[in-house]
Structure formats: structure tokens, C-alpha cells
Amino acid sequence: RLNTWESLTTGIAQQAKGVIAPKEKTPFITFVLGGPGSGKGTQCIKIVETFGFAHLSAGDLLRREIASKSADGAMILNTIKEGKIVPSQVTVKLIQKEMELSDNHKFLIDGFPRTEENRVSFEQIIGVEPNVVLFFDCPEEEMVKRVLNRNEGRVDDNLETIKKRLTVFQALSLPVINYYSEKGKLYTIKAIGTEDEIFEQVRPIFAAFEVCSQTVG
Ligand SMILES: Nc1ncnc2c1ncn2[C@@H]1O[C@H](COP(=O)(O)OP(=O)(O)O)[C@@H](O)[C@H]1O
Ligand SMILES: O=c1ccn([C@@H]2O[C@H](COP(=O)(O)OP(=O)(O)O)[C@@H](O)[C@H]2O)c(=O)[nH]1
Ligand SMILES: [Mg+2]
């Protein structure tokens, strides 16, 4: 009887472990960077399909906050309309919540960090650094054309806001890209051509990491 009870409780404990502690693997984090309209979101969908990442778009998380009429919603809406950057702790908290809710350990963090302050804040709060940083390098005139044709009803997809976002990108986001370049983590993608052509530059980067993880076990 005791043995039966023991095996039963052990079974429950093992099941519970699977439910409560699914995060045994260390996370594999990719930051996806590039100017507005450079194709980050589009390529993230393909990376998810091919390599099974969880896609966390910082902009989508912020827009969800606006839609849910949360306390920060009005502030976030104004910041996005102005093409400015939402305070780091707000964005990092949203990303943290999504990472905790996910049962995946491979994350694509799309459109973040956009400033050095964002980057430092993520490191301090989440306590990890990215394994890979992708930079979708696209000429400004192509980015403007794509954003103006995006047709998702976004409040920031107008010429006035795009100009501000491009200035913010140059001044605040390029330093983040340079930081990761110096760290040897940056993979620059030439973000012109068809979606498929661009993905053929992205694919080998993740394919190499897949081989690595198989070798390590
Ligand atoms: N390679 C491409 N060529 C032309 N248009 C593209 C390409 N990739 C994406 N787009 C389009 O450009 C717009 C911006 O792409 P998106 O993925 O939303 O960029 P981001 O997330 O970097 O702002 C979307 O309408 C998208 O369909
Ligand atoms: O970490 C972030 C990500 C986005 N944004 C705001 O959200 C807007 C839209 O971001 P998104 O990544 O959705 O735009 P994309 O680059 O994809 O066009 C930005 O211009 C910022 O105002 C922000 O403040 N912090
Ligand atoms: Mg996007």
C-alpha cells in the first residue's frame, strides 16, 4: 500500500514539476532591430514558422496596453503619436510578463531595445543579455514608402510621425546597434528585396545556432 501511495505521490510531484517549473532551459534571446518599416515584424513571422520562437513585439504589447485602457494607456498613445520612446520600465515590465507566461524558451523581441536606456533597463530587470541581435538595414526612402503603405490603421503611420521616428532611430537606436556590433553579437541584414530574399539572409543565422544546440545536447 505504501509503495502504491509513494508511486502515486511521486507521480503527482513529477507532474506538478512539469506544470510549475517549465523554465528549466536557459532562455535564448534575439533582439530584432531596425528602423520603422524595415521589415522586422514581417521577418519575425517567418522566423517563428521556421525556427519555433515566441514572437514578442514591443510595439504590439504597447498597443495592447492602449486598447485595454490601462493606467498607462493615454501616456503610451501620446508617446507613440509623437514617435518618442515609452519609459523603459513600462516596456520591460510588459516584455517580462510575456516571457513568464510563455512556455517557450526561445524569444524574438521585436522593436526593442530602442535606446541605450532601454537596453540597460532590460539587462537589470530581466538579468540576461541577448544571444543574437538582428539589424534590418534599410534605406530611409524605402522605409517611408513601406510605412505609408502599411494600412494597419496605426496612429504613427503618417509622414509627420515617420520623420520624427527616423530622427529618434538615428539618435537613440543606432547607438544600441553599435553597442552590439562591438560585442560581436550583431547580424546585419540588407533589408531590401522580396520578403523571401531577405529571409534567405536570416535563415543561416538561426540554422547555425540550431546545429550548435544539437551538438551541446
Ligand atoms: N521586403 C519587403 N518588401 C516590400 N514591402 C515589405 C517587405 N517586408 C515588409 N514589407 C511591408 O512593409 C511594411 C512594414 O513592414 P513591417 O514588417 O511592419 O516592418 P517593421 O516591423 O520593421 O516596421 C508592411 O506593410 C510590410 O507588409
Ligand atoms: O520598445 C519600444 C517599442 C516601441 N515603442 C513605441 O512604439 C512605436 C511603434 O513601435 P513598433 O515597433 O510597433 O514600430 P515599427 O518599427 O515596427 O514600425 C515606436 O515608434 C515607439 O513610439 C517604444 O516606445 N518602445
Ligand atoms: Mg513592427
Side-chain angles (χ1 to χ4, degrees):
R1 282 193 65 156
L2 199 69
N3 279 343
T4 313
W5 174 246
E6 258 171 14
S7 65
L8 191 66
T9 51
T10 309
I12 291 166
Q14 273 166 354
Q15 268 183 300
K17 205 175 153 221
V19 174
I20 296 160
K23 305 223 187 302
E24 281 152 26
K25 282 193 168 179
T26 48
F28 184 96
I29 293 174
T30 299
F31 286 157
V32 182
L33 306 181
S38 59
K40 301 181 293 296
T42 303
Q43 293 296 321
C44 279
I45 293 168
K46 291 177 172 289
I47 298 165
V48 166
E49 284 169 2
T50 311
F51 296 104
F53 279 72
H55 179 201
L56 275 58
S57 159
D60 285 352
L61 294 175
L62 292 168
R63 284 184 285 274
R64 195 209 280 171
E65 280 299 288
I66 297 170
S68 75
K69 306 221 155 49
S70 80
D72 289 326
M75 175 276 290
I76 296 171
L77 176 61
N78 282 322
T79 308
I80 289 180
K81 273 187 191 161
E82 285 299 311
K84 294 182 178 158
I85 306 300
V86 172
S88 293
Q89 77 271 19
V90 172
T91 314
V92 174
K93 283 275 182 293
L94 294 172
I95 294 171
Q96 184 179 36
K97 206 166 39 170
E98 290 298 302
M99 288 178 72
E100 283 170 3
L101 284 173
S102 176
D103 52 17
N104 206 323
H105 76 287
K106 301 195 310 190
F107 298 100
L108 285 179
I109 301 184
D110 166 6
F112 178 95
R114 275 180 142 89
T115 66
E116 277 287 279
E117 199 228 333
N118 271 175
R119 176 183 72 70
V120 171
S121 176
F122 183 90
E123 271 176 30
Q124 286 174 346
I125 297 174
I126 311 291
V128 286
E129 290 190 23
N131 304 80
V132 169
V133 179
L134 298 185
F135 168 38
F136 288 94
D137 190 9
C138 192
E140 283 200 358
E141 56 170 48
E142 175 70 16
M143 294 197 277
V144 171
K145 204 171 76 186
R146 289 184 193 172
V147 166
L148 291 178
N149 285 316
R150 182 151 47 187
N151 252 327
E152 290 177 4
R154 280 174 50 168
V155 295
D156 54 345
D157 282 354
N158 58 79
L159 193 54
E160 198 192 345
T161 310
I162 294 160
K163 283 181 183 163
K164 292 177 181 167
R165 296 172 68 197
L166 289 172
T167 304
V168 166
F169 177 72
Q170 294 280 341
L172 303 180
S173 305
L174 276 182
V176 178
I177 289 161
N178 289 333
Y179 172 86
Y180 287 119
S181 174
E182 280 163 26
K183 282 216 137 190
K185 290 184 175 178
L186 193 75
Y187 297 82
T188 300
I189 310 295
K190 287 192 227 71
I192 32 176
T194 66
E195 292 177 14
D196 286 341
E197 282 166 354
I198 295 165
F199 187 64
E200 290 314 315
Q201 296 176 63
V202 172
R203 185 198 299 276
I205 298 166
F206 292 104
F209 279 94
E210 297 266 293
V211 171
C212 280
S213 73
Q214 279 164 19
T215 314
V216 174

